[in-house]
């Protein structure tokens, strides 16, 4: 598509490792379609429709590597031998649409398991695990990982990545964001280890996430796409920072890149919000990252919506749709080299054909995102008298 004679950067292909992505739109991981630890046919159908709707990259909702301490509740999936056929159905649904790139997100709840929901441990005898037994400074849960736990968990990640490869996914995304297991290693508040997995700098604390990426790279080969998702914010602390200063980021990105990361997915509440306004009033986190790595960078957060995820899902402030004006901002960001791809989450839940509508310049009649309406089907077990009960308040 051309706009005023210029090629539209939103629809220019981009290379991620050996894989070509047809346009710049990503469906980020959004947990909403798993039951009994398995992806549902509904998940396959929704992702297929979003692929048909034009998204260049589809990322499956976060699902855990098959390790007992990673099991949370049956509403959150497992990528293990018992669920391989279910994942194959999802992969075939997406890949059958033609040229969409399909990644599966590997998510381990870490110390956040049990805490948000207060539900019983599905595997008694396997407490929640984390670097130092902390969800947050002064908020303990579960146990600090032993060397054995670190090895077993790493192996579970590798096995899940191999399953993703076996079912035909182009790659995986390692979820190092939002206060879950690998982010707990990155965050200075929750990683108090005095072995080689701790340290004073973000790059030092990235040792375990980097080790997992290297192990996945070694097992899956050079072409398998590995995305790394990280964030400043945590579910338990929206003001948290893993990097106090942009200078902390460069060595972290270099370590993860050298371990085998092909793409950085920078999760923020608003894609173009300044990350360090005191240093630069306009530069977003993705844009800072872009200056520090040669790997493609995905920006995400509130594209097309007036309200960010926290205010929407947790504070019940329904967003308004303002897609057309945000698309102009996204196009300028791409042209300015602030990022390479853009994640559109809730607006694509409400409109699985959003990307094709943008391509055609047809913004009329697109739907607002309404969580009670749009998540109710996926969360049918958890909707009670019009309210999403506690389990579904968690978002990963
Ligand atoms: C229902 C729901 C479930 C989510 N689950 C995940 C997840 O599994 N993994 C993850 O990294 N982020 C998850 N997120 C965050 C989204 O990937 C995305 O970063 C966030 O919604 C912001 O994008 P948006 O403003 O375009 O919706 C979830 C968000 C929602 C709304």
């Amino acid at each position: 598509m051309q706009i005023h004679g210029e090629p539209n950067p939103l629809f220019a292909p981009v290379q991620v490792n050996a894989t070509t992505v047809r346009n710049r739109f990503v469906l980020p991981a959004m947990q909403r379609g798993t039951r009994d630890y398995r992806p549902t046919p509904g998940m396959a159908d929704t992702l297929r429709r979003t692929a048909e709707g034009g998204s260049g990259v589809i990322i499956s909702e976060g699902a855990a590597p098959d390790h007992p301490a990673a099991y949370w509740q049956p509403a959150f999936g497992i990528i293990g031998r018992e669920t391989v056929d279910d994942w194959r159905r999802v992969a075939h649904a997406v890949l059958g649409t033609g040229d969409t790139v399909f990644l599966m997100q590997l998510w381990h709840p870490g110390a956040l398991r049990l805490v948000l929901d207060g539900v019983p441990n599905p595997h008694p005898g396997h407490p929640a695990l984390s670097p130092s037994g902390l969800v947050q400074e002064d908020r303990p849960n579960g146990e600090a990982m032993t060397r054995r736990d670190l090895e077993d968990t790493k192996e579970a990640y590798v096995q899940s990545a191999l399953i993703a490869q076996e079912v035909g996914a182009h790659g995986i995304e390692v979820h190092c964001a939002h206060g879950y297991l690998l982010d707990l290693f990155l965050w200075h508040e929750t990683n108090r280890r005095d072995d080689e997995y701790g340290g004073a700098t973000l790059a030092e604390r990235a040792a375990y996430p980097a080790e997992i990426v290297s192990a996945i790279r070694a097992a899956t080969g050079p072409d398998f796409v590995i995305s790394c998702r990280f964030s400043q914010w945590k579910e338990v602390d929206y003001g948290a920072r893993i990097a106090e200063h942009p200078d902390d980021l460069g060595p972290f990105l270099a370590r993860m890149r050298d371990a085998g990361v092909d793409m950085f997915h920078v999760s923020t509440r608003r894609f173009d919000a300044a990350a360090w306004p005191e240093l630069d009033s306009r530069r977003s986190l993705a844009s800072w990252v872009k200056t520090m790595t040669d790997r493609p960078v995905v920006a995400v957060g509130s594209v097309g919506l007036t309200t960010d995820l926290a205010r929407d899902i947790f504070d019940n402030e329904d967003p308004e749709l303002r897609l057309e004006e945000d698309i102009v901002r996204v196009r300028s960001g791409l042209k300015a080299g602030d990022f390479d791809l853009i994640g559109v989450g809730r607006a694509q839940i409400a409109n699985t054909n959003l990307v094709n509508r943008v391509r055609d310049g047809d913004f009329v009649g697109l739907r607002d995102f309404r969580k009670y309406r749009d998540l109710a089907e996926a969360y049918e077990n958890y909707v009670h008298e019009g309210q999403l009960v506690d389990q579904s308040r968690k978002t990963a």
Side-chain angles (χ1 to χ4, degrees):
M1 177 206 179
Q2 302 227 321
I3 292 192
H4 307 310
E6 277 182 43
N8 185 347
L10 284 167
F11 291 91
V14 61
Q15 199 69 19
V16 180
N17 191 341
T19 297
T20 304
V21 182
R22 63 179 152 160
N23 61 41
R24 303 308 176 99
F25 288 94
V26 175
L27 179 78
M30 287 183 287
Q31 286 184 318
R32 60 209 154 105
T34 308
R35 269 199 247 316
D36 299 329
Y37 302 107
R38 297 171 188 280
T40 59
M43 187 211 287
D45 191 48
T46 307
L47 298 186
R48 175 186 55 71
R49 281 189 285 121
T50 315
E52 284 169 354
S55 215
V57 178
I58 300 274
I59 306 181
S60 79
E61 63 182 69
D66 193 3
H67 180 276
Y71 278 60
W72 193 343
Q73 313 157 35
F76 305 120
I78 295 284
I79 304 174
R81 289 297 346 149
E82 305 228 322
T83 58
V84 67
D85 289 335
D86 306 278
W87 285 108
R88 199 187 315 278
R89 271 193 286 277
V90 176
H92 284 184
V94 174
L95 298 170
T97 63
D99 47 4
T100 304
V101 172
F102 181 52
L103 308 182
M104 285 168 57
Q105 190 186 58
L106 305 186
W107 158 84
H108 186 309
L112 267 173
R113 174 177 173 245
L114 309 180
V115 165
L116 288 179
D117 310 318
V119 295
N121 184 344
H123 281 182
H126 290 278
L129 294 178
S130 62
S132 306
L134 293 170
V135 179
Q136 213 171 351
E137 197 167 32
D138 304 327
R139 191 169 160 202
N141 181 46
E143 291 180 4
M145 292 171 85
T146 61
R147 289 200 167 260
R148 175 79 198 268
D149 294 328
L150 291 165
E151 280 306 313
D152 290 351
T153 304
K154 181 170 66 181
E155 183 53 25
Y157 271 92
V158 169
Q159 290 308 321
S160 296
L162 286 168
I163 286 173
Q165 192 169 42
E166 178 185 327
V167 303
H170 293 85
I172 51 95
E173 177 166 89
V174 182
H175 189 340
C176 303
H178 308 169
Y180 293 100
L181 179 70
L182 298 181
D183 195 21
L184 292 169
F185 277 87
L186 299 178
W187 198 18
H188 64 93
E189 273 195 26
T190 48
N191 183 346
R192 305 284 178 74
R193 298 181 75 97
D194 54 14
D195 61 9
E196 69 272 33
Y197 297 107
T201 67
L202 175 58
E204 286 168 334
R205 294 189 300 274
Y208 188 59
E211 203 173 290
I212 285 180
V213 169
S214 303
I216 292 173
R217 172 61 69 216
T220 56
D223 293 343
F224 195 61
V225 173
I226 301 181
S227 169
C228 166
R229 186 172 224 211
F230 71 95
S231 62
Q232 294 273 41
W233 63 272
K234 324 284 164 202
E235 266 191 24
V236 294
D237 182 351
Y238 279 95
R241 286 178 158 186
I242 49 164
E244 285 305 325
H245 191 276
D247 289 351
D248 302 342
L249 280 177
F252 157 69
L253 297 167
R255 182 167 200 169
M256 298 302 285
R257 176 207 184 277
D258 292 348
V261 167
D262 298 307
M263 177 168 100
F264 288 103
H265 189 169
V266 182
S267 172
T268 55
R269 292 168 65 176
R270 167 85 198 161
F271 75 101
D272 57 357
W276 285 279
E278 63 282 15
L279 299 178
D280 187 320
S281 60
R282 66 160 288 280
R283 194 171 280 281
S284 65
L285 189 59
S287 170
W288 280 103
V289 170
K290 189 71 186 126
T291 63
M292 296 172 187
T293 183
D294 59 354
R295 294 303 191 235
V297 174
V298 186
V300 65
S302 306
V303 173
L305 301 175
T306 49
T307 303
D308 71 36
L309 178 68
R311 286 184 22 230
D312 173 8
I313 299 283
F314 297 128
D315 299 337
N316 288 319
E317 276 184 47
D318 279 336
E320 299 304 317
L321 195 72
R322 59 159 184 211
L323 188 61
E324 208 167 345
E325 66 187 88
D326 266 359
I327 287 298
V328 172
R329 292 198 183 96
V330 169
R331 206 165 56 218
S332 320
L334 279 172
K335 276 178 83 172
D338 289 341
F339 47 84
D340 302 286
L341 296 112
I342 187 74
V344 182
R346 288 164 295 153
Q348 281 202 93
I349 293 182
N351 302 282
T352 51
N353 62 348
L354 179 139
V355 176
N356 287 343
R357 296 284 291 269
V358 171
R359 183 198 59 201
D360 299 342
D362 174 12
F363 294 93
V364 180
L366 285 167
R367 300 198 318 165
D368 289 320
F369 173 73
R370 291 288 173 263
K371 73 175 174 193
Y372 288 119
R373 181 196 67 203
D374 293 337
L375 301 182
E377 202 180 294
Y379 281 128
E380 76 196 24
N381 292 346
Y382 303 104
V383 173
H384 178 62
E385 293 177 354
Q387 297 290 315
L388 297 179
V389 297
D390 278 352
Q391 286 96 326
S392 50
R393 283 173 57 84
K394 110 133 246 332
T395 63

